[in-house]
Amino acid sequence: LVSPCPPQAMAAALVELLGPKLASHDGQVETSTLEGKTIGLYFSAHWCPPCRGFTPQLAQWYQKDLKGKGLEVVFLSSDRDEESFKGYFGEMPWLALPFEDRARKEKLSKKFQVKGIPTLVLLKSNGDLITLDGRSAVSGDPTGTNFPWAPVEFSLGESFLGKEGSVPAASVADKVKLLYFSAHWCPPCRAFTPQLAAAYDAWKAKGLNVEVIFVSGDRDKGSFEEYYGEMPWIALPFEDSRRQKWNQHFEVSGIPTVVILDADNSVINRNGRGAIAADFEGQNFPWRE
């Protein structure tokens, strides 16, 4: 049996990650006070309109349910000056990394691959990662029913949508699977889809043991159906809950994205789009990283 991480080790890991003290509305507090909590690192800034839209929602969820369940949020500011930071932090009911610790903020942004804001990264109390896409996890469950939103084991499910009706998941279980996260409203997706479709037909003609599964990011069923009409493979139905679950599980942060799974559903390549775009002929199939 693996021994649990002792409290002293947890506190030391958090101090190493966030520094010895954090800012609160009553002065600085010891970072060690986060011991035993699930931590949300909230990368945000007042100048960012989506941030200003998400912050009051997160604050409401935090105060109503999530704080009581053991979530503590730490604001990591991308504001351009300390006055902006102070004004924006004044709207928040949680803690913050001191604004002057710019080096640590930049280090954490790189560590957790923050490409845009708002971003909410969820950590265990020992600093281990739960998910890089805490924003989707919390937005999809604002009362914390599934707190602390630990990733569930991936499952293909029972069936998919095919061109002639339902396709049993068992029929693709032993194949290499390309999960294609895409949407009709996305110009890079519309450019990549016909290239992928032509390659898919060629792979099938060569006898490669591969299947593509479309995971739609479309905003309405009509757009989904129009876009899927251009595709020769199977898809998750538009109303299927697996769409959100798979986005969260594979922490998809932009589209088009192709995640490649082996026959046992282990991840071969999270950047399948790049690998395939460099090898549409399939000479490097199954495109392992």
Side-chain angles (χ1 to χ4, degrees), residues 2 48 134 198 232 245 267:
V2 177
C48 161
K245 290 177 181 176
V267 176

Side-chain angles (χ1 to χ4, degrees), residues 92-111:
M92 302 177 182
W94 43 67
L95 304 174
L97 186 75
F99 182 77
E100 61 271 17
D101 199 349
R102 297 287 82 197
R104 190 179 301 275
K105 184 265 175 186
E106 292 305 318
K107 183 178 178 181
L108 290 168
S109 292
K110 290 179 181 178
K111 177 180 176 68

Side-chain angles (χ1 to χ4, degrees), residues 13 35 42 45 53 58 60 112 122 147 158 175 188 199 207 250:
E35 185 182 306
Y42 183 42
L58 182 60
Q60 180 182 356
F112 295 113
L122 296 175
F147 178 85
E158 297 297 321
K175 298 178 183 291
F250 295 108

Side-chain angles (χ1 to χ4, degrees), residues 110-127:
K110 290 179 181 178
K111 177 180 176 68
F112 295 113
Q113 305 165 38
V114 176
K115 299 174 182 175
I117 54 175
T119 288
L120 183 65
V121 175
L122 296 175
L123 307 176
K124 298 178 183 178
S125 58
N126 63 357

